[in-house]
Amino acid sequence: MFKELEEAYGFLFEDELLKEIEACGSLHRVQAGERIIEIGSYVKHIPLLISGAIKILREDKEGDELLLYFIERGDTCAMTLNCCLGQTKSEIRAVAETDSVFIMIPVEKMEEWVGKYKTWRHFVFASYHSRLKEMLDTIDTIAFMNMDERLMRYLQDRAKINGSPSIQSTHQQIAYDLHTSRVVVSRLLKKLEMEGKISLQRNQIDVLDL
DNA sequence: TCATTAACACGGG
DNA sequence: CCCGTGTTAATGA
């Protein structure tokens, strides 16, 4: 575990902190599609993502989903930090976008380290900062952009995260993530294909314009 | 005008 | 056949 940890976080944290993480963190491996954090559950651990990608979703009262953002290697989840510090239930759902590996850190340790390690403190603040920025981007996208631009952005995000321009997904699943209907997704995907930005196959979309 | 819903036909696995 | 896809008509915001 130490090797993987050092690869992902060695440039950020000093050896001493890495050793503490190794000592009290627990390593988890999940498969794509697995649910990691459920809405309403109490969160007592902070995830540090080693590899893969996690999708963070919000859910409305009807049970409809809306994608908030993705977490990648080297990221942690600001919403989780929030829940842990505030001792409140989770406001979000976390689902593995790809097969992922991460380390869970107990809240007490994470609080202790904030005082003990400057690098950790920076990491936590930087995470808050980048998460907040991404949230604002997402809000802008939802509030001011048309669905076709939103869809394109979504496709580019997923292509980037998977490290491949090919996205395995049905139109229906995309519609759920973007909180719209499949008819619209199908129509807009067709339009994007006409514009030469993507190519469509069954169950797969290739992003050409990155 | 544009999204949603329902309905239908096409075609690949 | 079943499922994903592409389209259309009706309806409503």
Side-chain angles (χ1 to χ4, degrees):
Chain A
M1 141 161 167
F2 190 68
K3 192 170 149 282
E4 292 168 308
L5 178 62
E6 182 154 19
E7 272 174 27
Y9 291 96
F11 66 98
L12 265 179
F13 303 146
E14 55 266 58
D15 287 349
E16 207 181 323
L17 176 52
L18 290 174
K19 284 197 185 99
E20 280 218 54
I21 291 172
E22 189 187 13
C24 46
S26 53
L27 193 67
H28 294 255
R29 293 175 193 279
V30 295
Q31 295 183 328
E34 208 170 311
R35 290 186 178 188
I36 300 160
I37 296 172
E38 196 48 58
I39 294 168
S41 65
Y42 282 94
V43 186
K44 303 213 162 52
H45 294 82
I46 314 272
L48 286 181
L49 204 56
I50 303 290
S51 67
I54 312 274
K55 187 164 75 168
I56 306 299
L57 302 161
R58 195 93 163 84
E59 196 183 71
D60 70 12
K61 36 197 178 316
E62 279 90 37
D64 294 326
E65 294 180 338
L66 176 64
L67 180 98
L68 287 183
Y69 52 78
F70 292 102
I71 303 176
E72 296 173 82
R73 170 192 164 115
D75 283 336
T76 187
C77 179
M79 285 309 298
T80 311
L81 292 174
N82 211 2
C83 291
C84 285
L85 294 174
Q87 299 282 323
T88 56
K89 288 178 185 174
S90 176
E91 301 277 340
I92 51 92
R93 168 181 297 149
V95 180
E97 167 71 14
T98 64
D99 293 353
S100 304
V101 181
F102 57 91
I103 295 173
M104 292 299 247
I105 311 284
V107 191
E108 316 85 65
K109 285 293 166 190
M110 116 101 206
E111 284 178 4
E112 182 190 322
W113 294 342
V114 167
K116 206 161 156 190
Y117 298 103
K118 201 170 78 180
T119 52
W120 179 259
R121 195 161 55 239
H122 281 162
F123 174 67
V124 171
F125 278 123
S127 294
Y128 261 118
H129 180 247
S130 68
R131 264 335 101 187
L132 190 58
K133 230 171 64 181
E134 277 201 46
M135 288 278 280
L136 285 177
D137 277 351
T138 305
I139 291 170
D140 284 349
T141 309
I142 293 168
F144 303 126
M145 287 168 77
N146 302 324
M147 187 55 84
D148 56 347
E149 293 171 280
R150 222 179 123 193
L151 176 62
M152 196 59 213
R153 202 186 111 100
Y154 167 84
L155 293 174
Q156 287 165 340
D157 274 358
R158 283 194 62 178
K160 196 183 79 192
I161 276 158
N162 288 313
S164 147
S166 294
I167 297 163
Q168 257 85 26
S169 186
T170 67
H171 297 181
Q172 186 62 70
Q173 288 170 320
I174 296 171
Y176 282 141
D177 278 349
L178 296 179
H179 201 245
T180 182
S181 67
R182 185 192 62 80
V183 181
V184 173
V185 172
S186 289
R187 182 167 51 78
L188 292 177
L189 283 173
K190 202 78 204 139
K191 200 180 95 187
L192 290 172
E193 189 185 34
M194 295 298 181
E195 291 168 4
K197 292 177 178 167
I198 60 173
S199 82
L200 296 174
Q201 288 89 43
R202 190 187 175 82
N203 248 315
Q204 180 178 319
I205 298 159
D206 293 321
V207 181
L208 305 175
D209 179 19
L210 292 170

